[in-house]
């Protein structure tokens, strides 16, 4: 009888342990679970940095907060993710400034074509006072910026050979869902077509567009090169990315512990540093891979580079005085 009771007791304990493990593999139940949206695949630098962030948050809040990362656009495209964040439907995300600009127009200046002399200048700006001001400026749109991620520079790629600026004319080029990008493409004589990122592959393969523009890692990981193997390396813009939190989620985090906002910001900063390292490696490798796969790269001639900048000048002329002053500060950085 005693043996039977011991066996029953042991079985009971085992069942309880298994049930807890199924509910909470890490060992203790979090008090807050935050959903993090990412539109890139699992092995992409920004997604790997999101998991890094999630691990840091869990460690530094002693397991009270857990971050679940949903990659590959599982929670929707960037535009809809930002919309959902504005009312707290999604808690965290990493988004391109191009998309974020729709909700927070002030960010437009940071992605003007040929704004920065080089990547170093962009990082001096983003890691300094201007970058910090812009992280907070997003608050008006129901999100708060936590850190800056690298996304390199963007260039055009097309299905037919493009060896000069002239060849871009009349081509239908996919752009991100914002009017600055559309305006830039139109200024070059091409036809902009706004399509969400995760639908661009089929648009290229089905001939709905003749090309697109993006950075090396996106070009490689999406398979866009399969249909569009001509790269016109004009590096027309650097569009950095932000890690964001919805202000609704921020309130829940602060309700657990007032110090958690600072802790989450630190985790975001550390994950951003990690992302930038991964980015540098991935960018170089993607370019090499693309060359090996037969992609053809054209570097614009000096004359085309001058022409490109001239065609982008109207975007600067149309700025308000305040925006012009900001551009001057950025260029002096
Ligand atoms: C980059 C960026 C994505 C964005 C995409 C786009 O790949 O990382 O967040 O959606 O550009 O062109 O839309």
């Amino acid at each position: 009888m005693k043996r039977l009771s011991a066996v029953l007791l042991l079985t009971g304990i085992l069942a309880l342990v298994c049930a807890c493990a199924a509910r909470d593999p890490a060992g203790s139940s979090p008090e807050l679970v935050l959903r993090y949206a990412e539109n890139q695949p699992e092995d992409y630098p920004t997604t790997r940095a999101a998991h890094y962030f999630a691990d840091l948050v869990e460690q530094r809040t002693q397991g009270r907060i857990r971050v679940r990362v949903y990659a590959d656009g599982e929670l929707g495209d960037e535009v809809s993710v930002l919309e959902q964040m504005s009312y707290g439907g999604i808690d965290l995300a990493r988004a391109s400034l191009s998309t974020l600009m729709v909700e927070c127009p002030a960010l437009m200046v940071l992605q003007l074509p040929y704004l920065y002399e080089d990547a170093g200048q962009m990082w001096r700006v983003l890691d300094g006072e201007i970058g910090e001001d812009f992280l907070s400026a997003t608050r008006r749109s129901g999100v708060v910026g936590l850190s800056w991620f690298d996304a390199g520079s963007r260039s055009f790629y097309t299905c037919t050979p493009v060896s000069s600026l002239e060849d871009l004319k009349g081509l239908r080029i996919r752009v991100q869902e914002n009017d600055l990008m559309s305006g830039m493409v139109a200024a070059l004589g091409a036809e902009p077509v706004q399509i969400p990122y995760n639908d661009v592959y089929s648009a290229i393969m089905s001939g709905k567009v003749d090309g697109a523009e993006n950075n090396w890692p996106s070009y490689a990981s999406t398979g866009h090169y399969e249909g569009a193997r001509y790269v016109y390396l004009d590096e027309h813009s650097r569009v950095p990315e932000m890690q964001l939190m919805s202000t609704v989620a921020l309130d829940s985090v602060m309700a657990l512990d007032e110090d958690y906002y600072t802790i989450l910001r630190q985790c975001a900063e550390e994950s951003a540093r990690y992302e930038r390292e991964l980015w540098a490696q991935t960018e170089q490798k993607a370019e090499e891979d693309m060359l090996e796969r037969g992609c053809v790269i054209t570097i614009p001639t000096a004359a085309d580079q001058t022409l490109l900048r001239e065609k982008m000048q109207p975007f600067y002329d149309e700025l308000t005085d305040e925006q012009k002053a900001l551009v001057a500060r950025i260029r002096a950085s």
Side-chain angles (χ1 to χ4, degrees), residues 232-262:
Y232 187 63
L233 203 60
D234 65 322
E235 300 189 315
H236 48 263
S237 53
R238 291 190 175 274
V239 182
E241 312 191 332
M242 235 190 233
Q243 250 186 337
L244 304 154
M245 177 179 239
S246 96
T247 47
V248 176
L250 177 62
D251 289 344
S252 313
V253 164
M254 299 280 276
L256 275 189
D257 187 324
E258 292 212 336
D259 290 340
Y260 279 177
Y261 172 56
T262 313

Side-chain angles (χ1 to χ4, degrees), residues 271-326:
S271 69
R273 280 202 287 279
Y274 179 59
E275 191 269 350
R276 292 186 208 173
E277 275 169 33
L278 292 176
W279 185 266
Q281 299 156 14
T282 314
E283 190 175 42
Q284 200 190 340
K285 181 154 186 324
E287 183 173 351
E288 287 162 9
D289 280 358
M290 293 299 94
L291 272 176
E292 267 172 35
R293 285 174 191 261
C295 294
V296 180
I297 301 180
T298 298
I299 297 180
T301 59
D304 270 356
Q305 286 184 25
T306 310
L307 200 56
L308 271 160
R309 283 174 167 75
E310 275 170 23
K311 288 189 182 286
M312 296 303 129
Q313 189 52 39
F315 296 99
Y316 287 89
D317 298 339
E318 284 162 15
L319 297 177
T320 62
D321 288 347
E322 202 185 328
Q323 288 170 324
K324 283 181 182 158
L326 180 59

Side-chain angles (χ1 to χ4, degrees), residues 51-65:
H51 285 291
Y52 190 80
F53 170 76
D55 290 346
L56 289 178
V57 170
E58 186 155 351
Q59 277 166 29
R60 302 210 181 141
T61 61
Q62 285 73 42
R64 294 180 74 195
I65 301 181

Side-chain angles (χ1 to χ4, degrees), residues 39-40 78 94 96 154 174 176 197 214-215 218 241:
N39 71 355
Q40 301 288 7
E78 274 187 348
R94 186 276 320 157
S96 165
R154 299 176 75 103
R174 177 273 170 172
Q176 291 177 280
Y197 184 54
N214 218 317
N215 52 49
S218 299
E241 312 191 332

